[in-house]
Amino acid sequence: MAKKLVIKVTAGADAPERCSQAFTVAAVAVASGVEVSLWLTGESSWFALPGRAAEFELPHAAPLPDLIEGIKAGGGMITVCTQCAARRDIEEKDLIEGARIAGAQVFVSEAMADGVQALVY
């Protein structure tokens, strides 16, 4: 098993099943003891803002706020893409506790490290 899992979420409420799958896999991985780095890009960037995850609904899926809390509680890192944040006027000070903004160089560095598995949803 990979020592670290890097997950990039490219969808938000615009593709709810894909979005939910990414957060679910991240939360399950963290709960299983895997180090997780979850990258929010595109419309999923909004879920790094307080209260926005509570607005997301998908029948038969775990609530997004619960998944995010599980990821954070298990030591998972949540990152918003620099360009995606800028396009949405999201600044570091706006983010939920424990989230950050970082760019492609950091993503590539994380994804290319030894023992890492990367997934894109």
Side-chain angles (χ1 to χ4, degrees):
M1 181 175 352
K3 295 177 185 172
K4 183 174 181 178
L5 185 59
V6 175
I7 300 173
K8 180 183 261 192
V9 191
T10 63
D14 55 328
E17 288 182 309
R18 191 164 20 122
C19 177
S20 179
Q21 289 169 2
F23 281 91
T24 300
V25 168
V28 169
V30 166
S32 299
V34 176
E35 183 182 349
V36 172
S37 179
L38 180 66
W39 283 74
L40 308 181
T41 68
E43 288 301 296
S44 70
S45 302
W46 294 115
F47 299 130
L49 299 177
R52 293 300 287 265
E55 298 170 7
F56 181 87
E57 291 185 14
L58 181 64
H60 309 291
L64 212 52
D66 294 351
L67 295 173
I68 291 171
E69 285 307 311
I71 293 164
K72 290 179 5 181
M77 171 60 72
I78 298 175
T79 305
V80 178
C81 157
T82 300
Q83 291 181 13
C84 300
R87 281 189 281 275
R88 289 161 180 81
D89 293 322
I90 297 172
E91 298 179 16
E92 195 101 25
K93 66 178 178 56
D94 302 322
L95 302 179
I96 58 177
E97 184 178 337
R100 66 178 179 169
I101 295 174
Q105 181 180 8
V106 177
F107 176 80
V108 170
S109 176
E110 286 186 12
M112 296 305 295
D114 288 339
V116 173
Q117 173 69 51
L119 301 174
V120 178
Y121 285 88

